[in-house]
Amino acid sequence: MAIKKIFRVGVIGASGKGDYGHGIDVTFAGLERAKIVAVADEQPAGLQKAAERLGVDRRYADFRKMLENEKLDIVCVGPRWLDDRVAMVSAAADAGAHVYCEKPFASDLVMADAMSAACRRRHVKLAMAHQWRAMAPVQQAIRHVREGK
């Protein structure tokens, strides 16, 4: 019987600057093949709360240190503010981690292109936290548009 890999997940948040998105920090909590192992947040109080919420001991004030030390498979980029988005996504990609990113993705195409290029360069996946396609009201609206209503 083959052993299934358990994916190591890290979370980047920014308390007071977009926080942890819309619950992106707990996206991988309780999944059979994923384990949240570390969290980064430059604000000590926010870092402590997140670590307790996620049940992790590995806490970092600097996301770059987390990426350097933890050998992560997946990184959740939670802050909704965009001021550090390119640095966070690019650093995660450079560390070889796939990225699950909160919205908004970028404020302009230059930012979007930089993050996309970082992920392509390292052959990692970049996924956005958009759930609209799966929501029943959105699906109904799409059907109505297609039907010309």
Side-chain angles (χ1 to χ4, degrees):
M1 175 181 231
I3 297 174
K4 292 184 178 181
K5 177 178 178 146
I6 304 298
F7 294 93
R8 294 174 49 82
V9 179
V11 174
I12 300 174
S15 294
K17 293 172 52 180
D19 303 312
Y20 289 82
H22 297 94
I24 203 167
D25 56 324
V26 295
T27 301
F28 290 89
L31 294 182
E32 181 180 322
R33 294 193 48 214
K35 179 168 178 51
I36 301 171
V37 297
V39 62
D41 188 329
E42 64 185 18
Q43 296 297 321
L47 179 58
Q48 180 176 336
K49 286 180 186 176
E52 290 170 2
R53 181 173 57 250
L54 298 171
V56 298
D57 293 326
R58 295 171 180 261
R59 306 168 185 193
Y60 294 87
D62 184 336
F63 68 87
R64 290 169 194 84
K65 289 289 184 196
M66 178 182 74
L67 295 169
E68 182 181 308
N69 293 338
E70 296 298 333
K71 308 300 182 241
L72 301 167
D73 298 300
I74 301 168
V75 173
C76 295
V77 176
R80 290 177 294 224
W81 286 19
L82 298 174
D83 57 336
D84 289 328
R85 179 63 54 85
V86 173
M88 291 173 176
V89 170
S90 297
D94 287 343
H98 301 287
V99 179
Y100 186 57
C101 190
E102 183 58 86
K103 55 200 167 303
F105 180 53
S107 60
D108 58 44
L109 293 176
V110 173
M111 286 178 68
D113 286 347
M115 291 182 283
S116 179
C119 292
R120 278 194 318 274
R121 187 171 51 249
R122 291 294 301 210
H123 306 285
V124 297
K125 301 291 183 191
L126 172 63
M128 293 302 302
H130 288 290
Q131 72 282 3
W132 279 66
R133 293 186 314 176
M135 296 176 68
V138 173
Q139 289 298 310
Q140 183 64 37
I142 290 169
R143 280 192 295 279
H144 284 174
V145 168
R146 287 183 179 151
E147 294 167 1
K149 292 184 178 179

Coordinates of all heavy atoms in Angstrom, one line a residue, residues 1 3 12 14 19-20 25 30 50-51 60-64 68 71 76 81 98 112-113 121 124 134 137:
M1 N 0.8 -1.2 0.0 CA 0.0 0.0 0.0 C 0.9 1.2 0.0 O 1.8 1.4 0.8 CB -0.9 0.0 1.2 CG -1.7 1.2 1.4 SD -2.7 1.1 2.9 CE -4.3 1.5 2.1
I3 N 2.1 5.0 0.6 CA 1.9 6.0 1.6 C 1.5 7.3 1.0 O 2.2 7.7 0.0 CB 3.1 6.2 2.5 CG1 3.4 4.9 3.2 CG2 3.0 7.3 3.5 CD1 4.7 4.9 4.0
I12 N 0.4 32.8 5.9 CA 0.9 34.2 6.1 C -0.3 35.1 6.4 O -1.2 35.1 5.6 CB 1.7 34.7 4.9 CG1 2.9 33.8 4.5 CG2 2.1 36.1 5.0 CD1 3.6 34.1 3.2
A14 N -1.5 39.1 8.3 CA -1.0 40.4 8.6 C -2.1 41.1 9.4 O -2.9 41.8 8.9 CB -0.7 41.2 7.3
D19 N -5.5 41.1 7.7 CA -5.6 40.0 8.6 C -5.3 38.7 7.8 O -4.2 38.5 7.3 CB -7.0 40.0 9.2 CG -7.2 41.3 10.0 OD1 -6.3 41.7 10.8 OD2 -8.2 41.9 9.8
Y20 N -6.2 37.7 7.9 CA -6.1 36.4 7.3 C -7.2 36.1 6.3 O -7.6 35.0 6.1 CB -6.1 35.3 8.5 CG -4.9 35.4 9.3 CD1 -4.8 36.3 10.4 CD2 -3.8 34.5 9.1 CE1 -3.6 36.4 11.1 CE2 -2.7 34.6 9.9 CZ -2.6 35.5 10.9 OH -1.5 35.6 11.6
D25 N -6.8 31.2 6.5 CA -5.9 30.5 7.4 C -6.4 29.1 7.8 O -5.6 28.3 8.1 CB -5.6 31.4 8.7 CG -6.9 31.8 9.4 OD1 -7.9 32.0 8.8 OD2 -6.8 31.8 10.7
G30 N -8.0 20.3 9.3 CA -8.8 19.1 9.3 C -8.8 18.3 8.0 O -9.5 17.3 8.0
A50 N -3.5 33.7 16.0 CA -3.6 32.8 14.8 C -3.0 31.4 15.2 O -3.5 30.4 14.8 CB -2.8 33.4 13.6
A51 N -1.8 31.4 15.9 CA -1.2 30.2 16.2 C -2.1 29.3 17.1 O -2.2 28.1 16.9 CB 0.1 30.4 16.9
Y60 N 6.2 32.8 13.4 CA 7.2 33.7 12.8 C 6.7 35.1 12.7 O 5.6 35.3 12.2 CB 7.6 33.1 11.4 CG 8.3 31.8 11.4 CD1 7.6 30.6 11.4 CD2 9.7 31.7 11.5 CE1 8.2 29.4 11.4 CE2 10.3 30.5 11.6 CZ 9.6 29.3 11.5 OH 10.2 28.1 11.5
A61 N 7.6 36.0 13.0 CA 7.3 37.5 12.8 C 7.6 37.9 11.4 O 7.0 38.9 10.9 CB 8.1 38.3 13.8
D62 N 8.4 37.1 10.7 CA 8.7 37.4 9.3 C 8.4 36.2 8.4 O 8.9 35.1 8.7 CB 10.2 37.7 9.3 CG 10.7 38.1 7.9 OD1 10.1 37.7 6.9 OD2 11.8 38.8 7.8
F63 N 7.5 36.4 7.5 CA 7.1 35.2 6.6 C 8.3 34.6 5.9 O 8.3 33.5 5.6 CB 6.0 35.7 5.7 CG 6.4 36.7 4.6 CD1 6.9 36.2 3.4 CD2 6.2 38.0 4.8 CE1 7.3 37.2 2.4 CE2 6.5 38.9 3.8 CZ 7.1 38.5 2.6
R64 N 9.3 35.5 5.6 CA 10.5 34.9 4.9 C 11.2 33.9 5.7 O 11.7 32.9 5.1 CB 11.4 36.1 4.5 CG 10.9 37.0 3.4 CD 11.7 38.3 3.3 NE 11.1 39.3 2.5 CZ 10.2 40.2 3.0 NH1 9.9 40.2 4.3 NH2 9.6 41.1 2.2
E68 N 11.9 30.0 4.8 CA 13.3 29.5 4.8 C 13.4 28.2 5.7 O 14.1 27.3 5.3 CB 14.2 30.6 5.3 CG 15.6 30.3 5.4 CD 16.4 31.5 5.9 OE1 16.2 32.6 5.4 OE2 17.2 31.3 6.9
K71 N 10.2 24.4 4.9 CA 10.1 23.4 3.7 C 8.6 23.1 3.5 O 8.2 21.9 3.5 CB 10.9 22.2 3.9 CG 12.3 22.4 4.3 CD 13.1 23.2 3.3 CE 14.5 23.4 3.7 NZ 15.0 24.8 3.8
C76 N -0.6 29.6 2.3 CA -1.8 30.4 2.2 C -1.4 31.8 2.5 O -0.9 32.1 3.5 CB -2.9 30.0 3.3 SG -3.5 28.3 3.1
W81 N -4.9 43.3 2.2 CA -4.1 44.4 1.7 C -3.1 44.0 0.7 O -2.5 42.9 0.9 CB -3.5 45.2 2.9 CG -4.4 45.9 3.8 CD1 -5.7 45.8 3.9 CD2 -4.0 46.9 4.7 NE1 -6.2 46.6 4.8 CE2 -5.2 47.4 5.3 CE3 -2.8 47.5 5.0 CZ2 -5.2 48.4 6.3 CZ3 -2.8 48.5 6.0 CH2 -4.0 48.9 6.6
H98 N 3.4 25.8 -3.4 CA 2.3 26.2 -4.1 C 1.6 27.2 -3.3 O 1.7 27.3 -2.1 CB 1.3 25.0 -4.4 CG 2.0 23.9 -5.2 ND1 2.2 24.0 -6.5 CD2 2.5 22.7 -4.7 CE1 2.8 22.9 -6.9 NE2 3.0 22.1 -5.9
A112 N 0.3 41.5 -11.0 CA -0.2 40.2 -11.4 C 0.8 39.4 -12.2 O 1.1 38.2 -12.0 CB -1.5 40.3 -12.2
D113 N 1.4 40.1 -13.2 CA 2.5 39.5 -14.0 C 3.7 39.0 -13.2 O 4.2 38.0 -13.4 CB 2.9 40.4 -15.1 CG 1.9 40.6 -16.2 OD1 0.9 39.8 -16.3 OD2 2.0 41.5 -17.0
R121 N 8.1 30.3 -13.0 CA 9.6 30.1 -12.9 C 9.9 28.9 -12.0 O 10.8 28.1 -12.3 CB 10.3 31.4 -12.4 CG 11.7 31.4 -12.4 CD 12.3 32.8 -12.0 NE 11.8 33.4 -10.8 CZ 11.0 34.5 -10.8 NH1 10.7 35.1 -11.9 NH2 10.6 34.9 -9.6
V124 N 5.3 26.1 -9.8 CA 4.3 25.9 -8.7 C 2.9 26.4 -9.1 O 2.8 27.3 -10.0 CB 4.8 26.5 -7.3 CG1 6.0 25.9 -6.8 CG2 4.9 28.0 -7.5
A134 N -19.1 28.2 -7.3 CA -19.8 27.1 -6.7 C -21.1 27.5 -5.9 O -21.8 26.7 -5.5 CB -18.9 26.4 -5.7
P137 N -26.7 30.8 -5.8 CA -27.3 32.0 -6.4 C -26.5 32.5 -7.6 O -27.0 33.0 -8.6 CB -27.2 33.0 -5.3 CG -27.1 32.2 -4.0 CD -26.4 31.0 -4.4

